Amino acid sequence: VRLSHLSSASSAAEPGAMAAEMVLSRRPGQPRGEVLSEADLEELAQRKPPSKTSTRDCLRKARCSASTAKSLLFRFLPVLRWLPRYPVKDWLLGDIASGFSVGIMHLPQGLAYALLAGLPPVTGLYSSFYPVFLYFFFGTSRHNSVGPFAVISVMIGSVTDSLVPSEDFMEFVNGTNVTEVNEARRDAARVELVATITVLSGIFQVALGLLQFGFVVTYLSDPLVRGYTTAASVHVLISQLKNVFGVSLGEHSGPLSLFVTFIEICKKLPETNVGTLVTAIIAMVAIFIVKELNHKFSAKLPMPIPIELITIIISTGISYGVNLNSKYGISVVGNIPSGLKPPVVPNVSYFGQVVGNAFAIAVVGYAICISLGKIFALKHGYKVDSNQELIALGLSNFLGGFFQCFAISCSMSRSLVQESTGGNSQVAGVISSLVILVTILKIGELFHDLPKAILSAIIIINLKGMFKQFTDLRTLWKSNRVDLMVWVVTFIATLLLNLDIGLGASVAFALLTVIFRTQLPHYSILGRVTDTDVYKDVAEYEKAQEVPGIKIFRSSSTIYFANVEMYSDALKKKSGINVDRLIEKKKKALKKLKKQQKKAEKEKAKRKKVLPSTPLLCRSTPLPCLALPPLWDTAAGHGAAAPSMVSPTPAFPQRRVAESLGVPGGPHWLHIALGSQCELCNTGCPVMSRAFFGAQRGGILIWVEARCQSFTCFSLCAASVLAQLERGNFFSSTITKHCFFPSVNDAVLHIDAGRRPAPVSTHTKM
């Protein structure tokens, strides 16, 4: 049996890699039997030496100059790059219409999401103005509509409920025993807390952006984000039921607070305010029907019907005319101050209490924003800078926190409206912020009698898109069960542990699944597809047949310290040959043959004494004389303990060794193939070295194949693997790059040609 060992990074990369093998194996003008090793290929292709950057070069690049300063300015202020080239005739009209439409949506959503965060409604208007205006200068997405978002608002609301509960502001009414909440003092304390959280979130985002840590969002996989936002939407729904039923509840925070709140709502259902419930139901039905019509006739409507704004205006008028608050006890928004307020420095004493929540809000807000931004960028053919988006969001939050804003993100509903109504650039965001500015200065105080049930109805209906994410369960069940587990665990953890702890637990579980996937990869035996040079899994393809005498073993994971033992065990199981047992058997066979040789020599010596004149031809023929060299030479330079191998002498043929071990005769070939995405850690190099020498010691010859191309276009992966082997002191005088081949087929052709591995020494080291 010839043993071939293949380690590929993933089965997804297999088609492109196999195509590359065919190209490499059939080079123009090259005979089919001629193959190249990696050493030959480097010489033929004239591989360039790795470039080294000196300290002087680094200092020269870091040196300040006019061009460098201009480049940095254009990088951190993208508006300077695109605004001078803004096509006024083509884009301005669409941006104005889009900005006006989004501004109309900002008004009700800002008021509603401020209520969701446990803050005065006017802070929602501030959060719809300052950050949106700042994003115009620093943002790179043309279609993202930044501002208040339900998930971020409910995360902020959970912090305000836990750190600034209403119970801390209970006061006696006019010297009686009746107590009520001093809402003015409570709201002022909550605004101060939330401003601090917003500033701290902005600091985190700016710092991550400057450190080029935009990739941090990659640890929040799509199933994790969707599961988290779906669970957050359940939190939002439960939190708004008190305004729908018109009941007063205690404020709960921490693990299981969602279920405690829901149970309390159920207990207080007999106390439902019928007027509030009817108002909420009518508003929800009207908003839902018109939104469905907007979606159905989106191609025919010049802009969506602003049903949320219409509902707010009509309900405010009815509430003012009928006096719903005093007659029916329907809770209203109350005073909305007009005008802008001067900036206030946040209370830094809160930093230690809210640092974890601020970081979670920063990461979740950025993850939602960049995912939407990349979707629109791919659709419209432009690029979104992930690190600059971090800086843009961070500066919007940081500066907005001084003006009583709460943390913002990107809303899918507003972004879709901005795109569908003709928005082409960040100018649409400026127009929408000006609409909110006019509202803050002149119109805001008119919404004093707006029922809170209307705002809750707007919030609940806008959750429809996130509740649709439950359909992910069916899709993930069919496509990827591990991602399904991430979705479900994230959803359940967020419901049970609340939004902050749930996010941490979800990220930890997602990282564990990554380790789980590398610990339990897919192992398979490959065979050659008939009449091709393509190798496929013999268990999946009927036409894939194993090459006679060769076992090709493939693993879908990287080789590193955590999976080395399982990798080795899987190789032994799949190949059917245990190198360790072969070595043990070979030792026993050599020991037995050595005893037989000594016995034969003693008998020969006795016969010489008894019959000194006996002719040589009359003596019994002994076993073949064995000159047994040491099998390991510890003086070789393979790290501290890696030995060097010396091959058996010609007097002890390989076939004789194979037969003595109970294995069919002929040489044994171990072919280790490093896949196009394979990586080796510091533990992997010694493991590869031990595999090489162990197999040699067991009478098995080794060939290594490193792919140079893949379906995922990592065309330099082979070079990186070889470089890692060089850094790990894998190569020496006994192992050179002549053992490496650019494809499986090249190695197989080399074996079939009957060559012997060049790096194996045939004489004993002194």
Side-chain angles (χ1 to χ4, degrees):
V1 178
R2 297 175 182 174
L3 178 62
S4 177
H5 169 202
L6 171 63
S7 168
S8 175
S10 65
S11 56
E14 187 177 348
M18 293 305 176
E21 290 168 13
M22 296 180 68
V23 173
L24 288 168
S25 299
R26 300 176 184 268
R27 285 173 284 274
Q30 175 192 352
R32 179 176 175 82
E34 181 183 347
V35 294
L36 294 176
S37 66
E38 281 292 337
D40 299 330
L41 192 59
E42 286 186 5
E43 182 179 356
L44 179 65
Q46 297 182 3
R47 181 182 175 185
K48 298 179 180 179
S51 59
K52 296 182 179 180
T53 305
S54 63
T55 306
R56 181 177 297 179
D57 294 334
C58 294
L59 293 175
R60 187 181 296 111
K61 291 180 180 179
R63 186 174 56 187
C64 184
S65 63
S67 59
T68 304
K70 182 179 178 181
S71 176
L72 288 175
L73 183 64
F74 276 55
R75 177 183 174 187
F76 292 114
L77 277 174
V79 66
L80 299 178
R81 184 184 299 111
W82 63 264
L83 189 59
R85 295 177 291 177
Y86 181 79
V88 177
K89 294 183 179 179
D90 298 331
W91 285 9
L92 183 59
L93 202 59
D95 281 337
I96 292 175
S98 175
F100 185 74
S101 301
V102 174
I104 291 174
M105 292 184 67
H106 263 300
L107 175 59
Q109 289 187 7
L111 297 172
Y113 292 153
L115 186 68
L116 184 59
L119 300 171
V122 70
T123 59
L125 298 180
Y126 295 154
S127 301
S128 299
F129 169 64
Y130 289 107
V132 176
F133 185 76
L134 290 169
Y135 186 82
F136 167 79
F137 298 97
F138 302 103
T140 59
S141 175
R142 301 177 188 170
H143 298 88
N144 273 1
S145 175
V146 297
F149 182 57
V151 174
I152 303 299
S153 297
V154 75
M155 293 177 73
I156 294 172
S158 67
V159 181
T160 58
D161 289 344
S162 61
L163 296 183
V164 190
S166 298
E167 288 80 4
D168 294 347
F169 301 92
M170 301 296 292
E171 295 180 353
F172 292 102
V173 180
N174 297 328
T176 64
N177 292 329
V178 179
T179 60
E180 66 178 13
V181 178
N182 188 329
E183 294 185 357
R185 288 181 56 238
R186 182 200 63 185
D187 291 347
R190 288 185 172 181
V191 167
E192 183 182 39
L193 172 67
V194 171
T196 304
I197 296 174
T198 304
V199 169
L200 191 55
S201 298
I203 292 174
F204 279 129
Q205 289 173 331
V206 171
L208 291 173
L210 292 176
L211 294 174
Q212 305 292 296
F213 271 25
F215 68 88
V216 72
V217 74
T218 59
Y219 292 101
L220 300 180
S221 63
D222 189 58
L224 188 149
V225 172
R226 294 175 72 85
Y228 182 79
T229 53
T230 306
S233 65
V234 176
H235 279 273
V236 173
L237 175 64
I238 298 300
S239 69
Q240 294 307 299
L241 291 180
K242 63 180 180 181
N243 294 323
V244 171
F245 291 102
V247 296
S248 59
L249 304 175
E251 294 172 346
H252 309 283
S253 60
L256 301 178
S257 60
L258 177 72
F259 300 94
V260 174
T261 303
F262 182 73
I263 292 172
E264 187 176 358
I265 291 173
C266 293
K267 289 181 179 179
K268 291 195 174 183
L269 283 179
E271 304 175 13
T272 299
N273 186 308
V274 178
T276 302
L277 180 61
V278 171
T279 301
I281 291 176
I282 292 175
M284 283 190 284
V285 171
I287 294 171
F288 178 79
I289 292 175
V290 175
K291 278 183 173 289
E292 288 297 310
L293 292 175
N294 282 339
H295 178 71
K296 185 175 182 179
F297 299 103
S298 58
K300 298 180 180 179
L301 294 173
M303 62 175 289
I305 301 173
I307 183 58
E308 294 170 339
L309 181 62
I310 293 173
T311 304
I312 283 180
I313 293 173
I314 293 175
S315 61
T316 302
I318 294 174
S319 176
Y320 176 78
V322 182
N323 199 0
L324 295 178
N325 186 10
S326 60
K327 286 187 178 181
Y328 300 101
I330 297 176
S331 179
V332 296
V333 168
N335 182 44
I336 299 179
S338 60
L340 300 175
K341 292 187 176 182
V344 178
V345 178
N347 188 351
V348 295
S349 62
Y350 282 123
F351 276 8
Q353 296 176 271
V354 300
V355 60
N357 303 95
F359 185 78
I361 290 170
V363 173
V364 173
Y366 170 67
I368 295 170
C369 192
I370 194 63
S371 60
L372 284 176
K374 288 185 176 180
I375 291 173
F376 289 121
L378 182 64
K379 181 177 180 180
H380 294 277
Y382 63 91
K383 183 180 179 181
V384 172
D385 187 341
S386 58
N387 292 307
Q388 182 59 30
E389 283 297 296
L390 258 178
I391 295 174
L393 278 180
L395 290 174
S396 299
N397 282 325
F398 177 76
L399 297 176
F402 289 90
F403 295 92
Q404 300 185 3
C405 300
F406 54 85
I408 55 102
S409 183
C410 180
S411 169
M412 177 177 285
S413 60
R414 293 196 306 268
S415 299
L416 290 174
V417 169
Q418 181 168 322
E419 181 205 26
S420 61
T421 53
N424 297 295
S425 71
Q426 294 91 322
V427 173
V430 173
I431 302 299
S432 67
S433 66
L434 293 179
V435 172
I436 299 299
L437 178 61
V438 173
T439 304
I440 294 173
L441 296 177
K442 299 295 183 182
I443 306 175
E445 57 187 8
L446 300 178
F447 295 106
H448 178 278
D449 293 307
L450 172 64
K452 290 183 179 179
I454 299 297
L455 297 179
S456 295
I458 292 172
I459 292 173
I460 292 173
I461 294 301
N462 282 321
L463 295 176
K464 176 189 172 185
M466 284 190 281
F467 281 130
K468 282 184 177 181
Q469 294 177 156
F470 278 110
T471 58
D472 293 347
L473 297 174
R474 181 175 58 185
T475 304
L476 293 175
W477 176 265
K478 297 178 180 178
S479 61
N480 194 316
R481 303 289 175 85
V482 177
D483 285 343
L484 175 64
M485 289 177 58
V486 172
W487 198 103
V488 172
V489 170
T490 301
F491 179 79
I492 295 175
T494 306
L495 290 183
L496 295 177
L497 303 177
N498 216 347
L499 295 168
D500 47 359
I501 303 176
L503 177 62
S506 304
V507 172
F509 180 78
L511 294 178
L512 285 177
T513 61
V514 175
I515 299 174
F516 175 78
R517 296 183 196 192
T518 61
Q519 289 285 79
L520 297 176
H522 176 68
Y523 300 110
S524 59
I525 297 295
L526 301 185
R528 180 186 289 164
V529 179
T530 307
D531 298 329
T532 69
D533 293 334
V534 178
Y535 294 82
K536 292 290 185 179
D537 188 351
V538 295
E540 297 180 1
Y541 294 85
E542 294 182 358
K543 294 294 184 180
Q545 301 294 328
E546 293 186 42
V547 179
I550 300 177
K551 286 281 186 180
I552 305 177
F553 174 77
R554 183 185 67 192
S555 170
S556 62
S557 80
T558 300
I559 305 172
Y560 72 115
F561 68 93
N563 65 358
V564 163
E565 293 299 328
M566 283 182 275
Y567 186 88
S568 177
D569 293 340
L571 170 61
K572 294 172 185 177
K573 182 178 179 181
K574 286 285 186 179
S575 65
I577 294 180
N578 190 330
V579 175
D580 296 332
R581 293 186 63 186
L582 289 178
I583 294 173
E584 184 179 355
K585 286 185 177 182
K586 182 174 180 179
K587 284 182 178 180
K588 291 181 179 179
L590 292 174
K591 187 176 181 180
K592 183 177 179 181
L593 289 173
K594 193 172 183 180
K595 286 182 179 180
Q596 292 176 355
Q597 185 182 18
K598 287 182 178 180
K599 185 178 179 180
E601 290 176 352
K602 288 181 180 180
E603 291 179 356
K604 183 175 69 171
K606 287 180 182 180
R607 284 195 296 269
K608 284 183 178 180
K609 291 180 181 180
V610 176
L611 300 172
S613 60
T614 302
L616 183 64
L617 295 176
C618 296
R619 290 182 297 176
S620 300
T621 303
L623 289 172
C625 181
L626 294 177
L628 294 175
L631 291 173
W632 300 95
D633 181 6
T634 56
H638 295 285
S644 127
M645 192 278 306
V646 182
S647 65
T649 61
F652 190 66
Q654 192 81 1
R655 182 179 296 275
R656 179 72 177 272
V657 175
E659 292 174 354
S660 68
L661 299 180
V663 180
H668 310 290
W669 301 87
L670 179 60
H671 171 200
I672 301 177
L674 304 177
S676 56
Q677 294 175 335
C678 182
E679 295 290 340
L680 295 174
C681 70
N682 290 334
T683 307
C685 290
V687 169
M688 295 288 291
S689 182
R690 287 196 296 271
F692 186 95
F693 289 113
Q696 286 280 18
R697 192 178 181 186
I700 299 173
L701 299 178
I702 301 182
W703 298 104
V704 183
E705 174 264 335
R707 294 184 187 169
C708 61
Q709 293 184 2
S710 70
F711 181 75
T712 50
C713 300
F714 289 96
S715 58
L716 298 177
C717 283
S720 65
V721 172
L722 291 174
Q724 180 63 33
L725 291 173
E726 289 175 348
R727 290 192 297 268
N729 295 325
F730 180 80
F731 297 107
S732 69
S733 60
T734 55
I735 309 178
T736 68
K737 293 181 182 178
H738 288 285
C739 290
F740 287 71
F741 297 90
S743 71
V744 176
N745 196 59
D746 279 334
V748 172
L749 291 176
H750 189 92
I751 293 173
D752 290 339
R755 293 185 180 180
R756 289 291 182 260
V760 178
S761 174
T762 57
H763 48 276
T764 306
K765 288 187 177 184
M766 299 302 294

